[in-house]
Amino acid sequence: MRTVSTLLAGDHFVRNDLLAASLSKLEGVTFDFREVTLPWPLTPYGRVAEVDEASDAEDQLIAALPGVEVAVTQMGPFTERVLEAAPDLRFLVCCRGGPVNVNVPAATKRGVIVSSTPGRNAVAAAEHAVALMLGALRKLPQLQRTLEQEQWRSDLYAYDECGSELDGATVGLVGYGAIGRRVARVMLAFGATVLVVDPAIDASSSPDGTEVVELDELLRRSDVVSLHARLTEQTRGMIGAKQLALMPGGGVLVNTARGGLLDYEATVDALESGQLGAAAFDVFPTEPVPAGSRLLTAPNVVMTPHLAGATRQTAQRAGSIAAEAVAAYLAGRDPIGLVS
């Protein structure tokens, strides 16, 4: 039976005990575990040297990596400096959709295979997007505040004050990956018409009962627009004042993807003018949201602090997918989420 020296660099969400439990289920191998517990999310992540969204823990990793063949992490900063100190490392799993906290070219140069755990939070993020959508449509934050203020506002039953339904609505999804597909299934079950924009999908096809259209058409036709695209140089700022003006008056905008996709100043303008009836956000251009931001006083906004993927099942799934990747590596196969 093979013994593999393995570093678990988990945190307070994707915990080391979850990672160890998943890896220990693999047959025909035993693991000699070393553990480093990173401070996220109790301490926010940030840029570390040349990598993004990482815990500032280069020295901890450097101390733990000598002799390690396999490393599993979520927020570990695998910078060039850290990789230089890991001559025995051969396989690195980043328990995220993409290894933004790993210097992939430096790893590849040193013969380190890098993989990620795609889809680990797809269920959680999709459910959260739907929750925000419903909260915005039915004005749930405003309604709760009336009760907190000891008001019983039956006048909110008035036609001009009450919310809208998804049944019969047109919902536009910008991005149709693992999260977008799940949201689409829920929208169709509610009785909505679903429009999709995604450059990876052939415009002549209409998968899963949806309709594939161009972005401008989606915006013109959609009562609700929900963003699920990846942030790239091509998608950065893809929704601004011009695009918001195409939406039907009183429409709803939801962003649970990345803050960089959307011009938030233009969005607040649209909310204040009534062009947008409501908006819901889990991601922002600057995180945390700075004091004095117009978002904090904009009308009809539902906000959560970048927690769409935060479920216990997401953390457990990250461990399971990571274990599958390690099993593939040990068997000489390409692991799921192969990056390098």
Side-chain angles (χ1 to χ4, degrees), residues 231 235-239 255 258-264 283-285:
L231 181 61
T235 62
R236 185 177 297 277
M238 67 185 301
I239 305 294
N255 187 12
R258 282 292 185 266
L261 298 172
L262 177 64
D263 182 337
Y264 279 75
V283 291
F284 304 89

Side-chain angles (χ1 to χ4, degrees), residues 10-25:
D11 48 53
H12 298 281
F13 178 53
V14 178
R15 299 186 329 200
N16 284 332
D17 61 329
L18 300 176
L19 297 174
S22 293
L23 288 167
S24 296
K25 295 176 182 178

Side-chain angles (χ1 to χ4, degrees), residues 48-86:
V48 178
E50 75 276 14
V51 302
D52 287 315
E53 297 185 14
S55 292
D56 189 5
E58 286 182 293
D59 291 341
Q60 289 175 269
L61 294 185
I62 288 170
L65 278 166
V68 165
E69 177 182 354
V70 172
V72 184
T73 191
Q74 181 181 219
M75 296 292 179
F78 277 81
T79 61
E80 185 164 16
R81 175 173 171 247
V82 169
L83 291 162
E84 284 178 352

Side-chain angles (χ1 to χ4, degrees), residues 2-284:
R2 182 177 177 185
T3 300
V4 180
S5 179
T6 301
L7 173 63
L8 305 180
D11 48 53
H12 298 281
F13 178 53
V14 178
R15 299 186 329 200
N16 284 332
D17 61 329
L18 300 176
L19 297 174
S22 293
L23 288 167
S24 296
K25 295 176 182 178
L26 300 183
E27 297 180 354
V29 60
T30 60
F31 292 93
D32 176 16
F33 289 129
R34 301 182 192 178
E35 296 188 12
V36 170
T37 299
L38 302 176
W40 190 83
L42 307 183
T43 300
Y45 60 59
R47 187 166 181 86
V48 178
E50 75 276 14
V51 302
D52 287 315
E53 297 185 14
S55 292
D56 189 5
E58 286 182 293
D59 291 341
Q60 289 175 269
L61 294 185
I62 288 170
L65 278 166
V68 165
E69 177 182 354
V70 172
V72 184
T73 191
Q74 181 181 219
M75 296 292 179
F78 277 81
T79 61
E80 185 164 16
R81 175 173 171 247
V82 169
L83 291 162
E84 284 178 352
D88 302 300
L89 186 64
R90 293 294 174 266
F91 185 53
L92 170 60
V93 185
C94 180
C95 294
R96 307 172 75 171
V100 294
N101 51 307
V102 178
N103 185 330
V104 175
T108 303
K109 181 180 178 180
R110 290 167 174 77
V112 180
I113 301 169
V114 180
S115 73
S116 61
T117 56
R120 61 162 196 152
N121 67 350
V123 175
E127 291 184 358
H128 198 83
V130 173
L132 288 179
M133 195 180 298
L134 290 168
L137 281 166
R138 300 303 297 270
K139 304 182 179 181
L140 297 188
Q142 298 97 303
L143 299 181
Q144 178 167 327
R145 281 196 291 271
T146 64
L147 293 175
E148 292 171 345
Q149 295 164 4
E150 299 182 356
Q151 300 172 358
W152 188 264
R153 295 281 305 278
S154 59
D155 62 301
L156 296 177
Y157 216 110
Y159 184 88
D160 290 336
E161 298 291 343
C162 59
S164 301
E165 300 174 357
L166 283 170
D167 186 16
T170 298
V171 177
L173 304 180
V174 181
Y176 200 65
I179 298 169
R181 289 195 299 272
R182 287 184 174 274
V183 173
R185 291 204 296 271
V186 176
M187 295 298 101
L188 291 168
F190 268 112
T193 297
V194 178
L195 308 181
V196 172
V197 167
D198 193 310
I201 299 175
D202 186 347
S204 65
S205 66
S206 294
D208 307 321
T210 66
E211 181 182 351
V212 179
V213 296
E214 296 297 324
L215 178 60
D216 283 2
E217 181 179 353
L218 179 145
L219 293 168
R220 289 191 185 99
R221 292 174 55 188
S222 296
D223 303 296
V224 180
V225 173
S226 188
L227 306 185
H228 302 285
R230 287 190 176 277
L231 181 61
T232 66
E233 289 308 310
Q234 290 70 40
T235 62
R236 185 177 297 277
M238 67 185 301
I239 305 294
K242 179 181 177 181
Q243 290 72 32
L244 293 170
L246 295 176
M247 293 180 62
V252 173
L253 178 67
V254 180
N255 187 12
T256 56
R258 282 292 185 266
L261 298 172
L262 177 64
D263 182 337
Y264 279 75
E265 288 296 315
T267 302
V268 173
D269 289 342
L271 286 163
E272 291 178 346
S273 72
Q275 170 62 20
L276 277 179
F281 307 120
D282 185 58
V283 291
F284 304 89

